Amino acid sequence: MNKVEQELEYMEKVKEYHQGKDVKYAIFTMGCQLNENDSEKIEGMLVGMGYTKTEDSKQADIIVYNTCCVRENAEERLFGKLGEIKKQKEEKGTVIAIGGCMMQEKHITEKIKKSYPFVDILFGTHTLYKLPEDIYHILENRKKIEDIAYIDGEVIEGIPIVRGDHIKASVTIMNGCNNFCSYCIVPYVRGRERSRSPRDILEEIESLAKQGYKEVTLLGQNVNSYLRVEREKNIPFEEYRGVNSFATLLREVNKIEGIERIRFVSPHPKDFTQDVIEAIRDCEKVSKIIHLPLQAGSTSVLKAMNRKYTKEQYLELVDKIKREIPHVVFSTDIIVGFPGETQRNFEDTLDVVKKVGYEQVFMFIYSRRVGTPGDKMENQIPEEIKHERFNQLKALVEGQMEEQNKTYIGTVQKVLIEGTSKNNENMLTGRTDSNKVVILEGDKNLIGKMVNLNIISEHMWYLKGEYRG
Ligand code: 5AD
Ligand code: SF4
């Protein structure tokens, strides 16, 4: 019996334990799309154990927190939530489980054990699949469980999944990261890079297509080094339909009937090889917005960040991609206030932003992470300077976005209609290839369809479109 089969048995046991009772779960997810995808697996297991979902945590028999630790504010949020939940735990005996990246940090688990002793289960990123067994043991003997492994992890297949959406789906293609950017905690909490097999990925996407999904996002901390470690270290893997790299994977996913749009996050600029550029160019379903994390514009800051490219190399890469892929656009991640960043260094960031003209910029204030080289650097930037720079960058980005939004007016955009607008039931909402939100009036039978829309106006965070049939 493999590891997942064993867990499926535990799922049955929990289900039996609850027989005849209406048991509910609530889940809170922090962080990135990879974590959201992990939460879909957690939900798959909970549903398999007989729980049904509630949005009201007060009704829940089990509450699961899937945590992130990339920036500090996630910790404050978790501790706030645990403070709120204490009374419910005492009154109702709700099972409290905390998992995800933050649980791989010893100082955090120590703090939880000391300050929030009512928490039942702590599970890590490498032991997520063991949740059924952990829950079973809690129900049986109520002894607290700490199920965290400090290993590099392995690829676990076959965990049931309940997806949050019926049109767009995320598919994790690789776990972990080998890059050790000096600000980043991810390599320490997610372990070394390991790729899922081409067969497992392609079969998952084919099954999604059969279920009617139209868009897939391929996920990984460093997607464009998919299968790189395996190739370089001669770790055997099954080459399936010729897939042995990220570029060949894109080409095969592009052939899957029913899938109409393919996105991927996040690539690393240093691994953006020619074959990847050509695959994006040639595959009509692959979105032509490329998320290319910059992090900082200054070569010296990039060096301190261990990013392995200079400002010039980044800009050359952007130019090359623009030359080779017609109508390509970019989005990015930027950190302001990394240790040692001077005003002049920061101006290099502004300069790159002006030159590239991103469609979307995810902006972050540098946050010290225990255990990373960045945290040990002496020249930390004062908070008020970080905030000043953040606001300066934000003003530049918003100004650019306004200008770019205007260029959409009068154009025809291919939009995948995702559902009704959250703010107005009578309006539909969807996204362009470049990931802009578009709202429109239209019949609900357009949901799930890729349609051509005339863009008639722009409103900072969304565009308005018109469907002419
Ligand atoms: N502080 C601020 N932002 C960070 N990121 C990663 N680590 C940190 C940190 N310590 C940002 C990077 C990354 C994104 C997911 O989060 O920009 O690309
Ligand atoms: Fe973190 Fe860098 Fe790895 Fe991305 S590539 S997960 S920023 S270490």
Side-chain angles (χ1 to χ4, degrees):
M1 201 181 337
N2 72 27
K3 288 180 176 175
V4 169
E5 282 163 356
Q6 208 170 326
E7 295 305 318
L8 294 175
E9 285 203 347
Y10 276 111
M11 279 167 49
E12 280 305 316
K13 285 188 191 171
V14 174
K15 206 170 174 177
E16 270 166 37
Y17 183 95
H18 288 315
Q19 209 150 43
K21 277 184 274 171
D22 175 21
V23 285
K24 294 196 158 56
Y25 75 89
I27 184 162
F28 294 97
T29 308
M30 302 167 178
C32 65
Q33 292 184 58
L34 277 148
N35 237 26
E36 280 169 18
N37 193 222
D38 279 351
S39 281
E40 292 179 328
K41 292 172 192 156
I42 294 173
E43 292 197 54
M45 292 187 276
L46 289 167
V47 168
M49 286 182 265
Y51 292 94
T52 53
K53 187 172 185 160
T54 173
E55 299 296 336
D56 176 10
S57 58
K58 290 195 181 67
Q59 304 289 324
D61 298 279
I62 179 166
I63 304 178
V64 183
Y65 299 92
N66 187 13
T67 62
C68 164
C69 59
V70 168
R71 285 171 296 274
E72 195 174 359
N73 48 14
E75 282 152 29
E76 287 151 17
R77 272 176 58 211
L78 176 70
F79 295 139
K81 284 195 183 292
L82 291 178
E84 287 165 22
I85 219 75
K86 185 168 181 241
K87 204 154 161 252
Q88 177 177 342
K89 171 77 192 174
E90 283 163 0
E91 286 170 1
K92 254 191 95 183
T94 314
V95 175
I96 311 287
I98 316 179
C101 294
M102 221 188 272
M103 296 308 102
Q104 297 293 139
E105 295 185 287
K106 287 209 172 90
H107 69 281
I108 300 281
T109 50
E110 288 310 315
K111 174 158 179 182
I112 291 174
K113 285 189 279 183
K114 200 162 149 249
S115 309
Y116 307 94
F118 56 87
V119 172
D120 297 290
I121 302 171
L122 299 178
F123 63 103
T125 54
H126 307 295
T127 46
L128 173 139
Y129 72 97
K130 287 171 71 191
L131 193 59
E133 133 177 29
D134 294 340
I135 292 177
Y136 178 73
H137 291 310
I138 280 291
L139 296 173
E140 281 285 293
N141 60 30
R142 290 269 156 200
K143 260 207 204 131
K144 298 197 181 312
I145 290 173
E146 190 176 344
D147 196 355
I148 297 165
Y150 299 96
I151 48 163
D152 278 346
E154 48 201 328
V155 180
I156 303 279
E157 292 293 343
I159 304 174
I161 187 160
V162 171
R163 294 184 184 273
D165 193 295
H166 299 291
I167 295 161
K168 302 193 294 182
S170 297
V171 175
T172 299
I173 63 165
M174 63 185 308
N175 292 302
C177 181
N178 288 357
N179 289 326
F180 291 93
C181 301
S182 57
Y183 49 81
C184 187
I185 192 78
V186 168
Y188 306 90
V189 297
R190 288 267 174 182
R192 294 295 65 70
E193 271 180 36
R194 54 213 178 269
S195 295
R196 287 180 70 200
S197 82
R199 181 195 289 271
D200 286 327
I201 296 169
L202 292 173
E203 286 180 354
E204 180 174 345
I205 300 173
E206 276 166 349
S207 140
L208 289 168
K210 285 205 187 89
Q211 294 166 53
Y213 284 89
K214 296 288 186 286
E215 180 177 308
V216 285
T217 301
L218 309 178
L219 298 179
Q221 253 82 36
N222 192 6
V223 280
N224 51 347
S225 67
Y226 174 68
L227 287 177
R228 154 92 47 94
V229 178
E230 286 76 1
R231 284 196 312 271
E232 284 177 358
K233 296 197 172 155
N234 285 324
I235 300 168
F237 66 90
E238 184 200 4
E239 198 174 303
Y240 183 63
R241 297 187 200 157
V243 175
N244 57 11
S245 64
F246 185 59
T248 47
L249 179 68
L250 281 181
R251 288 182 188 273
E252 278 310 300
V253 178
N254 194 59
K255 289 182 193 158
I256 297 176
E257 212 173 305
I259 297 298
E260 298 190 33
R261 188 180 275 161
I262 303 161
R263 301 187 188 278
F264 56 87
V265 275
S266 277
H268 194 299
K270 79 174 168 55
D271 298 314
F272 225 100
T273 43
Q274 184 63 24
D275 59 337
V276 173
I277 299 175
E278 286 171 11
I280 299 169
R281 180 196 65 199
D282 297 345
C283 296
E284 73 288 354
K285 295 177 187 173
V286 173
S287 158
K288 300 299 182 270
I289 182 165
I290 297 179
H291 186 68
L292 200 62
L294 169 69
Q295 310 301 3
S298 139
T299 295
S300 64
V301 174
L302 286 167
K303 190 158 197 301
M305 285 179 162
N306 192 28
R307 288 294 289 175
K308 303 194 175 81
Y309 51 84
T310 63
K311 175 185 180 187
E312 289 69 30
Q313 284 167 335
Y314 183 92
L315 286 171
E316 274 162 29
L317 176 63
V318 166
D319 279 345
K320 183 172 171 196
I321 298 174
K322 280 183 178 170
R323 275 197 309 274
E324 300 207 18
I325 307 176
H327 311 299
V328 74
V329 291
F330 294 90
S331 60
T332 200
D333 291 346
I334 292 176
I335 300 174
V336 299
F338 185 75
E341 182 186 72
T342 63
Q343 185 59 29
R344 282 189 72 173
N345 294 151
F346 172 64
E347 279 160 18
D348 276 323
T349 299
L350 299 178
D351 186 44
V352 176
V353 170
K354 283 180 201 149
K355 287 194 166 115
V356 179
Y358 297 102
E359 288 282 314
Q360 217 176 354
V361 181
F362 298 92
M363 296 167 272
F364 306 104
I365 289 176
Y366 171 67
S367 169
R368 295 174 76 161
R369 304 287 70 208
V370 175
T372 61
D375 185 45
K376 296 183 194 88
M377 293 179 185
E378 275 168 12
N379 37 11
Q380 302 287 330
I381 306 295
E383 287 304 315
E384 56 290 3
I385 295 184
K386 288 192 210 170
H387 281 89
E388 250 170 53
R389 289 183 188 163
F390 182 87
N391 290 337
Q392 223 179 315
L393 175 62
K394 188 162 168 267
L396 171 65
V397 167
E398 287 182 356
Q400 280 187 333
M401 261 178 64
E402 231 177 295
E403 288 308 306
Q404 267 154 354
N405 281 350
K406 284 186 194 146
T407 67
Y408 278 81
I409 298 174
T411 64
V412 176
Q413 297 288 322
K414 243 179 145 181
V415 173
L416 177 61
I417 308 294
E418 295 171 2
T420 52
S421 160
K422 274 198 194 108
N423 305 324
N424 183 348
E425 264 290 299
N426 299 318
M427 301 291 278
L428 300 176
T429 174
R431 279 176 193 264
T432 63
D433 182 73
S434 59
N435 215 18
K436 292 261 184 223
V437 175
V438 184
I439 64 159
L440 67 146
E441 281 168 21
D443 197 283
K444 289 203 169 76
N445 67 19
L446 290 180
I447 295 171
K449 298 214 168 86
M450 188 80 86
V451 293
N452 284 324
L453 296 184
N454 297 323
I455 303 301
I456 53 174
S457 60
E458 60 89 16
H459 308 260
M460 194 68 199
W461 303 113
Y462 65 92
L463 305 171
K464 209 161 167 205
E466 220 169 47
Y467 178 62
R468 291 248 168 86

